[in-house]
Amino acid sequence: MTKIAFVGLGNMGGPMAANLVKAGHEVRGFDLSEASVKAAVAAGIKGAGALSEAVSDAECVITMLPKGQHVTAVWSDLTTLLPEGTLVIDCSTIDVESARKAHKLAEVMNCSALDAPVSGGTGGAAAGTLTFMVGGTEKAFAMGKPILEAMGRKIVHCGAPGAGQAAKICNNMILGISMIGVCEAFGLAEKLGLSHQALFDVASTSSGQCWSLTTYCPVPGPVPTSPANHDYKPGFAAALMLKDLSLSQEAARQTGAATPLGHHAAELYAEFEKAGHGGDDFSAIIHMLREKAGG
Ligand code: NAD
């Protein structure tokens, strides 16, 4: 049993913290939203009214927050609150630069730190089947792995500080591009008079195969569990896809990497969000692509 402070009890953090409780850890949670703290308390987490209260006595602190600025602000506050040797883990999806800044703050505290963003969405958070992509030293990884295992099925050590965030944004850039590619293929098939099922049966067992097709098929029918069969309710909201693509483009600019398709995918998801669809599943972009063809 580890005493854990969990900061950020939203759509992801709430169920993740609940799984830590189920695994026998003592979890104290803090969130700026009282409603989120209340929901967490109902799931067995001890509620805290302030960050300082949540982290007092904690052997490990986990943050699950919206953006880099929230993470660095909270980790800055932690520098005056944590004793040396505490393990601090950030599971949010944030830019690599902020992740590295957070690691530096942990160094100042003489604490071990991990960036450990997740894949698997709210369903994976609730089921405890997330994939964690982890950056940090071998020592910090060895400390954090058993804790992450209570919330996920696959824990991958990607390398040095920031490597977890790097893996996350590279993966999601592939996802955004591949979803648009699959949507375009279905749009072209429709114009050619080829049925959705026929394209699926061929491409899902051929070289066009990918997750966006076989698990998350953007047209209703071939994959009954995909959001297309449920009115395109997320799933993975288009606004979050835009966030991750924007992070990939920020990283590409900073490092000088060429990502022309990632750039265009970000532009298309920005257009989709601007049209009021940020809350739809990201596969719903097929509608916007069809409209571009005039039908
Ligand atoms: P969310 O908005 O539901 O939760 C974030 C929570 O952080 C909110 O409850 C908010 O009140 C709280 N918060 C903000 N600033 C705070 C502070 N200073 N102190 C304490 N609490 C604070 O977001 P979410 O969907 O849970 O996502 C969290 C992170 O996980 C994001 O970085 C997101 O990109 C990433 N992520 C989300 C999904 C998903 O499907 N929702 C999937 C993978 C990764």
Side-chain angles (χ1 to χ4, degrees):
M1 188 276 283
T2 305
K3 287 184 181 174
I4 299 171
F6 207 109
V7 184
L9 301 162
N11 292 324
M12 295 292 291
M16 287 165 71
N19 280 328
L20 289 170
V21 172
K22 277 186 210 151
H25 298 295
E26 190 183 309
V27 185
R28 218 178 281 172
F30 172 64
D31 194 294
L32 295 179
S33 146
E34 274 178 36
S36 296
V37 177
K38 221 169 149 189
V41 168
I45 293 137
K46 292 185 178 157
L51 180 66
S52 53
E53 186 189 336
V55 305
S56 70
D57 287 349
E59 296 157 273
C60 170
V61 178
I62 299 177
T63 51
M64 190 55 166
L65 299 166
K67 290 187 174 165
Q69 75 236 38
H70 305 110
V71 174
T72 51
V74 168
W75 282 46
S76 256
D77 290 345
L78 292 177
T79 54
T80 58
L81 296 171
L82 296 186
E84 288 186 9
T86 311
L87 173 65
V88 197
I89 306 176
D90 178 50
C91 295
S92 328
T93 302
I94 63 171
D95 57 288
V96 177
E97 202 178 304
S98 295
R100 290 187 179 142
K101 214 179 273 176
H103 276 275
K104 288 251 160 12
L105 288 164
E107 255 175 61
V108 172
M109 297 183 251
N110 257 325
C111 287
S112 296
L114 296 172
D115 53 293
V118 302
S119 164
T122 49
T129 55
L130 295 168
T131 294
F132 284 87
M133 298 150 247
V134 189
T137 63
E138 289 287 352
K139 181 183 161 221
F141 182 71
M143 286 169 80
K145 192 166 179 251
I147 292 169
L148 298 178
E149 277 168 346
M151 302 181 283
R153 189 181 281 160
K154 190 157 188 204
I155 324 291
V156 184
H157 190 198
C158 299
Q165 294 295 350
K168 168 79 184 174
I169 60 176
C170 289
N171 178 72
N172 280 21
M173 187 175 76
I174 297 173
L175 179 62
I177 293 169
S178 68
M179 178 54 79
I180 291 169
V182 170
C183 290
E184 287 187 3
F186 276 109
L188 178 59
E190 287 163 7
K191 295 284 185 198
L192 292 168
L194 177 66
S195 76
H196 290 163
Q197 193 63 49
L199 173 60
F200 180 84
D201 288 346
V202 172
S204 65
T205 53
S206 304
S207 46
Q209 185 202 118
C210 64
W211 190 92
S212 293
L213 176 71
T214 57
T215 302
Y216 234 64
C217 188
V219 294
V223 180
T225 49
S226 80
N229 297 285
H230 305 98
D231 218 10
Y232 294 92
K233 289 197 188 83
F236 187 51
L240 284 173
M241 174 47 78
L242 175 59
K243 175 191 168 185
D244 294 355
L245 283 167
S246 303
L247 290 175
S248 75
Q249 292 316 289
E250 203 178 311
R253 262 191 305 278
Q254 279 166 6
T255 57
T259 58
L261 288 183
H263 179 73
H264 195 38
E267 283 178 342
L268 288 169
Y269 273 104
E271 186 183 339
F272 191 53
E273 186 186 53
K274 207 167 166 202
H277 298 293
D280 295 350
D281 186 75
F282 81 115
S283 60
I285 200 165
I286 192 167
H287 302 311
M288 188 183 86
L289 296 169
R290 278 200 194 104
E291 279 162 21
K292 283 187 185 295

